[in-house]
PDB file of all heavy atoms in Angstrom:
ATOM      1  N   SER A   1      86.510 -60.467 105.943  1.00 95.00           N
ATOM      2  CA  SER A   1      87.768 -61.188 106.109  1.00 95.00           C
ATOM      3  C   SER A   1      88.814 -60.248 106.692  1.00 95.00           C
ATOM      4  O   SER A   1      89.485 -59.505 105.966  1.00 95.00           O
ATOM      5  CB  SER A   1      88.236 -61.761 104.768  1.00 95.00           C
ATOM      6  OG  SER A   1      89.427 -62.506 104.924  1.00 95.00           O
ATOM      7  N   ILE A   2      88.957 -60.277 108.027  1.00 95.00           N
ATOM      8  CA  ILE A   2      89.800 -59.329 108.744  1.00 95.00           C
ATOM      9  C   ILE A   2      90.944 -60.061 109.426  1.00 95.00           C
ATOM     10  O   ILE A   2      90.724 -61.034 110.148  1.00 95.00           O
ATOM     11  CB  ILE A   2      88.986 -58.544 109.780  1.00 95.00           C
ATOM     12  CG1 ILE A   2      87.846 -57.782 109.098  1.00 95.00           C
ATOM     13  CG2 ILE A   2      89.885 -57.589 110.558  1.00 95.00           C
ATOM     14  CD1 ILE A   2      86.879 -57.132 110.051  1.00 95.00           C
ATOM     15  N   SER A   3      92.156 -59.583 109.224  1.00 92.00           N
ATOM     16  CA  SER A   3      93.326 -60.165 109.858  1.00 92.00           C
ATOM     17  C   SER A   3      93.277 -59.969 111.366  1.00 92.00           C
ATOM     18  O   SER A   3      92.732 -58.980 111.864  1.00 92.00           O
ATOM     19  CB  SER A   3      94.602 -59.529 109.305  1.00 92.00           C
ATOM     20  OG  SER A   3      95.735 -59.944 110.039  1.00 92.00           O
ATOM     21  N   SER A   4      93.854 -60.920 112.091  1.00 92.00           N
ATOM     22  CA  SER A   4      93.928 -60.802 113.544  1.00 92.00           C
ATOM     23  C   SER A   4      94.933 -59.737 113.979  1.00 92.00           C
ATOM     24  O   SER A   4      94.947 -59.355 115.152  1.00 92.00           O
ATOM     25  CB  SER A   4      94.292 -62.149 114.168  1.00 92.00           C
ATOM     26  OG  SER A   4      95.558 -62.596 113.728  1.00 92.00           O
ATOM     27  N   VAL A   5      95.779 -59.273 113.074  1.00 93.00           N
ATOM     28  CA  VAL A   5      96.734 -58.209 113.348  1.00 93.00           C
ATOM     29  C   VAL A   5      96.314 -57.000 112.517  1.00 93.00           C
ATOM     30  O   VAL A   5      96.496 -56.987 111.296  1.00 93.00           O
ATOM     31  CB  VAL A   5      98.172 -58.618 113.008  1.00 93.00           C
ATOM     32  CG1 VAL A   5      99.135 -57.470 113.303  1.00 93.00           C
ATOM     33  CG2 VAL A   5      98.569 -59.864 113.782  1.00 93.00           C
ATOM     34  N   ASN A   6      95.754 -56.005 113.170  1.00 96.00           N
ATOM     35  CA  ASN A   6      95.263 -54.852 112.434  1.00 96.00           C
ATOM     36  C   ASN A   6      95.227 -53.628 113.329  1.00 96.00           C
ATOM     37  O   ASN A   6      95.439 -53.699 114.544  1.00 96.00           O
ATOM     38  CB  ASN A   6      93.878 -55.126 111.830  1.00 96.00           C
ATOM     39  CG  ASN A   6      92.798 -55.302 112.880  1.00 96.00           C
ATOM     40  OD1 ASN A   6      92.385 -54.325 113.523  1.00 96.00           O
ATOM     41  ND2 ASN A   6      92.331 -56.532 113.056  1.00 96.00           N
ATOM     42  N   SER A   7      94.948 -52.508 112.696  1.00 97.00           N
ATOM     43  CA  SER A   7      94.741 -51.255 113.393  1.00 97.00           C
ATOM     44  C   SER A   7      93.456 -50.628 112.871  1.00 97.00           C
ATOM     45  O   SER A   7      93.158 -50.717 111.680  1.00 97.00           O
ATOM     46  CB  SER A   7      95.921 -50.305 113.171  1.00 97.00           C
ATOM     47  OG  SER A   7      95.689 -49.039 113.768  1.00 97.00           O
ATOM     48  N   MET A   8      92.698 -50.004 113.751  1.00 98.00           N
ATOM     49  CA  MET A   8      91.509 -49.268 113.362  1.00 98.00           C
ATOM     50  C   MET A   8      91.590 -47.868 113.948  1.00 98.00           C
ATOM     51  O   MET A   8      92.105 -47.680 115.051  1.00 98.00           O
ATOM     52  CB  MET A   8      90.238 -49.962 113.849  1.00 98.00           C
ATOM     53  CG  MET A   8      90.007 -51.337 113.232  1.00 98.00           C
ATOM     54  SD  MET A   8      88.470 -52.125 113.795  1.00 98.00           S
ATOM     55  CE  MET A   8      87.241 -51.038 113.022  1.00 98.00           C
ATOM     56  N   GLY A   9      91.077 -46.900 113.201  1.00 98.00           N
ATOM     57  CA  GLY A   9      91.179 -45.543 113.689  1.00 98.00           C
ATOM     58  C   GLY A   9      90.174 -44.609 113.061  1.00 98.00           C
ATOM     59  O   GLY A   9      89.463 -44.962 112.115  1.00 98.00           O
ATOM     60  N   TRP A  10      90.132 -43.398 113.616  1.00 98.00           N
ATOM     61  CA  TRP A  10      89.259 -42.338 113.156  1.00 98.00           C
ATOM     62  C   TRP A  10      90.085 -41.221 112.544  1.00 98.00           C
ATOM     63  O   TRP A  10      91.112 -40.808 113.103  1.00 98.00           O
ATOM     64  CB  TRP A  10      88.433 -41.768 114.310  1.00 98.00           C
ATOM     65  CG  TRP A  10      87.433 -42.737 114.862  1.00 98.00           C
ATOM     66  CD1 TRP A  10      87.576 -43.542 115.948  1.00 98.00           C
ATOM     67  CD2 TRP A  10      86.129 -42.990 114.341  1.00 98.00           C
ATOM     68  NE1 TRP A  10      86.438 -44.284 116.140  1.00 98.00           N
ATOM     69  CE2 TRP A  10      85.532 -43.969 115.171  1.00 98.00           C
ATOM     70  CE3 TRP A  10      85.400 -42.489 113.260  1.00 98.00           C
ATOM     71  CZ2 TRP A  10      84.243 -44.452 114.941  1.00 98.00           C
ATOM     72  CZ3 TRP A  10      84.126 -42.972 113.036  1.00 98.00           C
ATOM     73  CH2 TRP A  10      83.563 -43.941 113.874  1.00 98.00           C
ATOM     74  N   TYR A  11      89.620 -40.702 111.405  1.00 98.00           N
ATOM     75  CA  TYR A  11      90.286 -39.622 110.689  1.00 98.00           C
ATOM     76  C   TYR A  11      89.256 -38.564 110.325  1.00 98.00           C
ATOM     77  O   TYR A  11      88.194 -38.866 109.792  1.00 98.00           O
ATOM     78  CB  TYR A  11      90.984 -40.153 109.436  1.00 98.00           C
ATOM     79  CG  TYR A  11      92.096 -41.125 109.758  1.00 98.00           C
ATOM     80  CD1 TYR A  11      91.815 -42.444 110.101  1.00 98.00           C
ATOM     81  CD2 TYR A  11      93.429 -40.712 109.762  1.00 98.00           C
ATOM     82  CE1 TYR A  11      92.822 -43.329 110.428  1.00 98.00           C
ATOM     83  CE2 TYR A  11      94.441 -41.599 110.079  1.00 98.00           C
ATOM     84  CZ  TYR A  11      94.135 -42.896 110.417  1.00 98.00           C
ATOM     85  OH  TYR A  11      95.139 -43.775 110.743  1.00 98.00           O
ATOM     86  N   ARG A  12      89.579 -37.312 110.617  1.00 98.00           N
ATOM     87  CA  ARG A  12      88.666 -36.213 110.361  1.00 98.00           C
ATOM     88  C   ARG A  12      88.975 -35.549 109.029  1.00 98.00           C
ATOM     89  O   ARG A  12      90.122 -35.188 108.760  1.00 98.00           O
ATOM     90  CB  ARG A  12      88.761 -35.171 111.482  1.00 98.00           C
ATOM     91  CG  ARG A  12      87.812 -33.993 111.317  1.00 98.00           C
ATOM     92  CD  ARG A  12      88.135 -32.901 112.329  1.00 98.00           C
ATOM     93  NE  ARG A  12      89.441 -32.314 112.074  1.00 98.00           N
ATOM     94  CZ  ARG A  12      90.045 -31.465 112.905  1.00 98.00           C
ATOM     95  NH1 ARG A  12      89.469 -31.119 114.046  1.00 98.00           N
ATOM     96  NH2 ARG A  12      91.238 -30.969 112.594  1.00 98.00           N
ATOM     97  N   GLN A  13      87.939 -35.374 108.230  1.00 97.00           N
ATOM     98  CA  GLN A  13      88.041 -34.634 106.984  1.00 97.00           C
ATOM     99  C   GLN A  13      87.282 -33.330 107.161  1.00 97.00           C
ATOM    100  O   GLN A  13      86.055 -33.332 107.295  1.00 97.00           O
ATOM    101  CB  GLN A  13      87.469 -35.431 105.814  1.00 97.00           C
ATOM    102  CG  GLN A  13      87.602 -34.740 104.479  1.00 97.00           C
ATOM    103  CD  GLN A  13      87.130 -35.608 103.319  1.00 97.00           C
ATOM    104  OE1 GLN A  13      86.674 -36.725 103.513  1.00 97.00           O
ATOM    105  NE2 GLN A  13      87.246 -35.092 102.114  1.00 97.00           N
ATOM    106  N   GLY A  14      88.014 -32.216 107.196  1.00 92.00           N
ATOM    107  CA  GLY A  14      87.408 -30.907 107.364  1.00 92.00           C
ATOM    108  C   GLY A  14      86.992 -30.321 106.038  1.00 92.00           C
ATOM    109  O   GLY A  14      86.421 -30.993 105.180  1.00 92.00           O
ATOM    110  N   SER A  15      87.291 -29.036 105.871  1.00 88.00           N
ATOM    111  CA  SER A  15      86.899 -28.345 104.646  1.00 88.00           C
ATOM    112  C   SER A  15      87.648 -28.855 103.424  1.00 88.00           C
ATOM    113  O   SER A  15      87.103 -28.863 102.323  1.00 88.00           O
ATOM    114  CB  SER A  15      87.119 -26.838 104.803  1.00 88.00           C
ATOM    115  OG  SER A  15      86.341 -26.310 105.858  1.00 88.00           O
ATOM    116  N   GLY A  16      88.898 -29.268 103.616  1.00 90.00           N
ATOM    117  CA  GLY A  16      89.700 -29.759 102.512  1.00 90.00           C
ATOM    118  C   GLY A  16      89.518 -31.239 102.278  1.00 90.00           C
ATOM    119  O   GLY A  16      88.643 -31.882 102.865  1.00 90.00           O
ATOM    120  N   ARG A  17      90.356 -31.793 101.432  1.00 92.00           N
ATOM    121  CA  ARG A  17      90.278 -33.209 101.081  1.00 92.00           C
ATOM    122  C   ARG A  17      91.096 -34.085 102.015  1.00 92.00           C
ATOM    123  O   ARG A  17      90.885 -35.296 102.060  1.00 92.00           O
ATOM    124  CB  ARG A  17      90.751 -33.409  99.639  1.00 92.00           C
ATOM    125  CG  ARG A  17      89.891 -32.727  98.586  1.00 92.00           C
ATOM    126  CD  ARG A  17      88.625 -33.515  98.336  1.00 92.00           C
ATOM    127  NE  ARG A  17      87.742 -32.870  97.369  1.00 92.00           N
ATOM    128  CZ  ARG A  17      87.817 -33.019  96.058  1.00 92.00           C
ATOM    129  NH1 ARG A  17      88.753 -33.796  95.530  1.00 92.00           N
ATOM    130  NH2 ARG A  17      86.966 -32.391  95.260  1.00 92.00           N
ATOM    131  N   GLU A  18      92.039 -33.494 102.753  1.00 95.00           N
ATOM    132  CA  GLU A  18      92.915 -34.292 103.595  1.00 95.00           C
ATOM    133  C   GLU A  18      92.170 -34.844 104.795  1.00 95.00           C
ATOM    134  O   GLU A  18      91.190 -34.268 105.270  1.00 95.00           O
ATOM    135  CB  GLU A  18      94.137 -33.471 104.058  1.00 95.00           C
ATOM    136  CG  GLU A  18      93.858 -32.487 105.190  1.00 95.00           C
ATOM    137  CD  GLU A  18      93.239 -31.191 104.711  1.00 95.00           C
ATOM    138  OE1 GLU A  18      92.974 -31.049 103.500  1.00 95.00           O
ATOM    139  OE2 GLU A  18      93.035 -30.298 105.556  1.00 95.00           O
ATOM    140  N   ARG A  19      92.667 -35.959 105.296  1.00 97.00           N
ATOM    141  CA  ARG A  19      92.090 -36.603 106.468  1.00 97.00           C
ATOM    142  C   ARG A  19      93.162 -36.700 107.547  1.00 97.00           C
ATOM    143  O   ARG A  19      94.212 -37.304 107.322  1.00 97.00           O
ATOM    144  CB  ARG A  19      91.553 -37.989 106.113  1.00 97.00           C
ATOM    145  CG  ARG A  19      90.444 -37.949 105.074  1.00 97.00           C
ATOM    146  CD  ARG A  19      89.969 -39.335 104.663  1.00 97.00           C
ATOM    147  NE  ARG A  19      88.938 -39.249 103.644  1.00 97.00           N
ATOM    148  CZ  ARG A  19      88.337 -40.290 103.083  1.00 97.00           C
ATOM    149  NH1 ARG A  19      88.672 -41.523 103.454  1.00 97.00           N
ATOM    150  NH2 ARG A  19      87.413 -40.104 102.161  1.00 97.00           N
ATOM    151  N   ASP A  20      92.879 -36.093 108.697  1.00 97.00           N
ATOM    152  CA  ASP A  20      93.832 -36.019 109.792  1.00 97.00           C
ATOM    153  C   ASP A  20      93.512 -37.069 110.844  1.00 97.00           C
ATOM    154  O   ASP A  20      92.350 -37.306 111.167  1.00 97.00           O
ATOM    155  CB  ASP A  20      93.817 -34.636 110.441  1.00 97.00           C
ATOM    156  CG  ASP A  20      94.200 -33.535 109.481  1.00 97.00           C
ATOM    157  OD1 ASP A  20      95.123 -33.743 108.677  1.00 97.00           O
ATOM    158  OD2 ASP A  20      93.583 -32.451 109.542  1.00 97.00           O
ATOM    159  N   LEU A  21      94.560 -37.655 111.400  1.00 97.00           N
ATOM    160  CA  LEU A  21      94.379 -38.651 112.452  1.00 97.00           C
ATOM    161  C   LEU A  21      93.675 -38.041 113.659  1.00 97.00           C
ATOM    162  O   LEU A  21      94.087 -37.000 114.172  1.00 97.00           O
ATOM    163  CB  LEU A  21      95.733 -39.218 112.888  1.00 97.00           C
ATOM    164  CG  LEU A  21      95.701 -40.107 114.137  1.00 97.00           C
ATOM    165  CD1 LEU A  21      94.988 -41.422 113.837  1.00 97.00           C
ATOM    166  CD2 LEU A  21      97.108 -40.362 114.663  1.00 97.00           C
ATOM    167  N   VAL A  22      92.626 -38.697 114.109  1.00 98.00           N
ATOM    168  CA  VAL A  22      91.981 -38.366 115.366  1.00 98.00           C
ATOM    169  C   VAL A  22      92.466 -39.323 116.454  1.00 98.00           C
ATOM    170  O   VAL A  22      92.995 -38.903 117.484  1.00 98.00           O
ATOM    171  CB  VAL A  22      90.452 -38.425 115.253  1.00 98.00           C
ATOM    172  CG1 VAL A  22      89.803 -38.079 116.592  1.00 98.00           C
ATOM    173  CG2 VAL A  22      89.956 -37.488 114.158  1.00 98.00           C
ATOM    174  N   ALA A  23      92.289 -40.612 116.209  1.00 98.00           N
ATOM    175  CA  ALA A  23      92.729 -41.628 117.152  1.00 98.00           C
ATOM    176  C   ALA A  23      92.774 -42.970 116.448  1.00 98.00           C
ATOM    177  O   ALA A  23      91.983 -43.228 115.546  1.00 98.00           O
ATOM    178  CB  ALA A  23      91.790 -41.706 118.368  1.00 98.00           C
ATOM    179  N   SER A  24      93.697 -43.820 116.857  1.00 98.00           N
ATOM    180  CA  SER A  24      93.795 -45.162 116.316  1.00 98.00           C
ATOM    181  C   SER A  24      94.129 -46.137 117.431  1.00 98.00           C
ATOM    182  O   SER A  24      94.669 -45.751 118.476  1.00 98.00           O
ATOM    183  CB  SER A  24      94.846 -45.249 115.203  1.00 98.00           C
ATOM    184  OG  SER A  24      96.146 -45.021 115.707  1.00 98.00           O
ATOM    185  N   ILE A  25      93.817 -47.411 117.184  1.00 97.00           N
ATOM    186  CA  ILE A  25      94.064 -48.441 118.183  1.00 97.00           C
ATOM    187  C   ILE A  25      94.357 -49.757 117.479  1.00 97.00           C
ATOM    188  O   ILE A  25      93.655 -50.151 116.550  1.00 97.00           O
ATOM    189  CB  ILE A  25      92.869 -48.565 119.159  1.00 97.00           C
ATOM    190  CG1 ILE A  25      93.160 -49.590 120.252  1.00 97.00           C
ATOM    191  CG2 ILE A  25      91.576 -48.896 118.404  1.00 97.00           C
ATOM    192  CD1 ILE A  25      92.164 -49.530 121.407  1.00 97.00           C
ATOM    193  N   ARG A  26      95.426 -50.422 117.900  1.00 95.00           N
ATOM    194  CA  ARG A  26      95.804 -51.705 117.327  1.00 95.00           C
ATOM    195  C   ARG A  26      95.143 -52.843 118.088  1.00 95.00           C
ATOM    196  O   ARG A  26      94.632 -52.663 119.195  1.00 95.00           O
ATOM    197  CB  ARG A  26      97.324 -51.883 117.357  1.00 95.00           C
ATOM    198  CG  ARG A  26      98.085 -50.919 116.475  1.00 95.00           C
ATOM    199  CD  ARG A  26      99.570 -51.217 116.463  1.00 95.00           C
ATOM    200  NE  ARG A  26      99.863 -52.548 115.914  1.00 95.00           N
ATOM    201  CZ  ARG A  26     101.070 -52.967 115.565  1.00 95.00           C
ATOM    202  NH1 ARG A  26     102.118 -52.161 115.685  1.00 95.00           N
ATOM    203  NH2 ARG A  26     101.242 -54.195 115.094  1.00 95.00           N
ATOM    204  N   THR A  27      95.177 -54.031 117.472  1.00 94.00           N
ATOM    205  CA  THR A  27      94.626 -55.204 118.148  1.00 94.00           C
ATOM    206  C   THR A  27      95.373 -55.486 119.444  1.00 94.00           C
ATOM    207  O   THR A  27      94.795 -56.051 120.379  1.00 94.00           O
ATOM    208  CB  THR A  27      94.688 -56.440 117.243  1.00 94.00           C
ATOM    209  OG1 THR A  27      95.981 -56.538 116.641  1.00 94.00           O
ATOM    210  CG2 THR A  27      93.628 -56.363 116.150  1.00 94.00           C
ATOM    211  N   GLY A  28      96.651 -55.101 119.523  1.00 91.00           N
ATOM    212  CA  GLY A  28      97.409 -55.265 120.746  1.00 91.00           C
ATOM    213  C   GLY A  28      97.082 -54.249 121.819  1.00 91.00           C
ATOM    214  O   GLY A  28      97.569 -54.373 122.949  1.00 91.00           O
ATOM    215  N   GLY A  29      96.286 -53.232 121.487  1.00 94.00           N
ATOM    216  CA  GLY A  29      95.856 -52.249 122.463  1.00 94.00           C
ATOM    217  C   GLY A  29      96.566 -50.911 122.405  1.00 94.00           C
ATOM    218  O   GLY A  29      96.124 -49.965 123.070  1.00 94.00           O
ATOM    219  N   ASP A  30      97.651 -50.802 121.638  1.00 96.00           N
ATOM    220  CA  ASP A  30      98.359 -49.529 121.532  1.00 96.00           C
ATOM    221  C   ASP A  30      97.475 -48.483 120.869  1.00 96.00           C
ATOM    222  O   ASP A  30      96.779 -48.769 119.894  1.00 96.00           O
ATOM    223  CB  ASP A  30      99.649 -49.689 120.731  1.00 96.00           C
ATOM    224  CG  ASP A  30     100.665 -50.571 121.418  1.00 96.00           C
ATOM    225  OD1 ASP A  30     100.617 -50.674 122.661  1.00 96.00           O
ATOM    226  OD2 ASP A  30     101.507 -51.155 120.716  1.00 96.00           O
ATOM    227  N   THR A  31      97.518 -47.260 121.386  1.00 97.00           N
ATOM    228  CA  THR A  31      96.698 -46.177 120.866  1.00 97.00           C
ATOM    229  C   THR A  31      97.559 -44.995 120.454  1.00 97.00           C
ATOM    230  O   THR A  31      98.685 -44.820 120.924  1.00 97.00           O
ATOM    231  CB  THR A  31      95.670 -45.695 121.901  1.00 97.00           C
ATOM    232  OG1 THR A  31      96.351 -45.232 123.070  1.00 97.00           O
ATOM    233  CG2 THR A  31      94.726 -46.830 122.280  1.00 97.00           C
ATOM    234  N   ALA A  32      97.007 -44.174 119.563  1.00 97.00           N
ATOM    235  CA  ALA A  32      97.639 -42.937 119.149  1.00 97.00           C
ATOM    236  C   ALA A  32      96.552 -41.894 118.933  1.00 97.00           C
ATOM    237  O   ALA A  32      95.439 -42.226 118.509  1.00 97.00           O
ATOM    238  CB  ALA A  32      98.451 -43.130 117.875  1.00 97.00           C
ATOM    239  N   TYR A  33      96.881 -40.623 119.234  1.00 98.00           N
ATOM    240  CA  TYR A  33      95.926 -39.535 119.101  1.00 98.00           C
ATOM    241  C   TYR A  33      96.532 -38.385 118.327  1.00 98.00           C
ATOM    242  O   TYR A  33      97.733 -38.119 118.416  1.00 98.00           O
ATOM    243  CB  TYR A  33      95.476 -39.026 120.469  1.00 98.00           C
ATOM    244  CG  TYR A  33      94.648 -40.007 121.255  1.00 98.00           C
ATOM    245  CD1 TYR A  33      95.240 -40.907 122.135  1.00 98.00           C
ATOM    246  CD2 TYR A  33      93.263 -40.036 121.117  1.00 98.00           C
ATOM    247  CE1 TYR A  33      94.473 -41.811 122.857  1.00 98.00           C
ATOM    248  CE2 TYR A  33      92.490 -40.937 121.834  1.00 98.00           C
ATOM    249  CZ  TYR A  33      93.105 -41.824 122.702  1.00 98.00           C
ATOM    250  OH  TYR A  33      92.337 -42.716 123.416  1.00 98.00           O
ATOM    251  N   GLY A  34      95.691 -37.698 117.556  1.00 97.00           N
ATOM    252  CA  GLY A  34      96.133 -36.487 116.904  1.00 97.00           C
ATOM    253  C   GLY A  34      96.358 -35.379 117.912  1.00 97.00           C
ATOM    254  O   GLY A  34      95.741 -35.343 118.983  1.00 97.00           O
ATOM    255  N   ASP A  35      97.253 -34.440 117.559  1.00 96.00           N
ATOM    256  CA  ASP A  35      97.609 -33.378 118.495  1.00 96.00           C
ATOM    257  C   ASP A  35      96.412 -32.515 118.888  1.00 96.00           C
ATOM    258  O   ASP A  35      96.338 -32.021 120.017  1.00 96.00           O
ATOM    259  CB  ASP A  35      98.703 -32.498 117.894  1.00 96.00           C
ATOM    260  CG  ASP A  35     100.047 -33.195 117.817  1.00 96.00           C
ATOM    261  OD1 ASP A  35     100.250 -34.179 118.556  1.00 96.00           O
ATOM    262  OD2 ASP A  35     100.899 -32.750 117.025  1.00 96.00           O
ATOM    263  N   PHE A  36      95.473 -32.309 117.968  1.00 95.00           N
ATOM    264  CA  PHE A  36      94.353 -31.422 118.259  1.00 95.00           C
ATOM    265  C   PHE A  36      93.389 -31.994 119.284  1.00 95.00           C
ATOM    266  O   PHE A  36      92.562 -31.260 119.821  1.00 95.00           O
ATOM    267  CB  PHE A  36      93.596 -31.083 116.970  1.00 95.00           C
ATOM    268  CG  PHE A  36      92.682 -32.167 116.488  1.00 95.00           C
ATOM    269  CD1 PHE A  36      91.337 -32.160 116.824  1.00 95.00           C
ATOM    270  CD2 PHE A  36      93.156 -33.193 115.695  1.00 95.00           C
ATOM    271  CE1 PHE A  36      90.480 -33.152 116.393  1.00 95.00           C
ATOM    272  CE2 PHE A  36      92.317 -34.197 115.247  1.00 95.00           C
ATOM    273  CZ  PHE A  36      90.980 -34.173 115.600  1.00 95.00           C
ATOM    274  N   VAL A  37      93.479 -33.302 119.557  1.00 96.00           N
ATOM    275  CA  VAL A  37      92.555 -33.928 120.503  1.00 96.00           C
ATOM    276  C   VAL A  37      92.739 -33.360 121.903  1.00 96.00           C
ATOM    277  O   VAL A  37      91.758 -33.139 122.629  1.00 96.00           O
ATOM    278  CB  VAL A  37      92.754 -35.454 120.492  1.00 96.00           C
ATOM    279  CG1 VAL A  37      91.982 -36.111 121.642  1.00 96.00           C
ATOM    280  CG2 VAL A  37      92.310 -36.027 119.153  1.00 96.00           C
TER     281      VAL A  37
END
């Protein structure tokens, strides 16, 4: 059951517990990337 308005993305978990943004994309097509990319 997925809303028609959503965002999906990738997050990297390295040695620690935190998860850093890699890339994301909304249903409208807008994208965002982490600085390390």
Side-chain angles (χ1 to χ4, degrees):
S1 182
I2 301 172
S3 172
S4 61
V5 180
N6 66 72
S7 176
M8 296 181 68
W10 293 97
Y11 296 78
R12 181 190 66 189
Q13 183 175 1
S15 299
R17 296 282 178 87
E18 77 279 2
R19 298 177 182 180
D20 299 320
L21 171 69
V22 180
S24 66
I25 183 167
R26 294 185 62 167
T27 47
D30 294 335
T31 60
Y33 292 91
D35 289 339
F36 78 95
V37 170

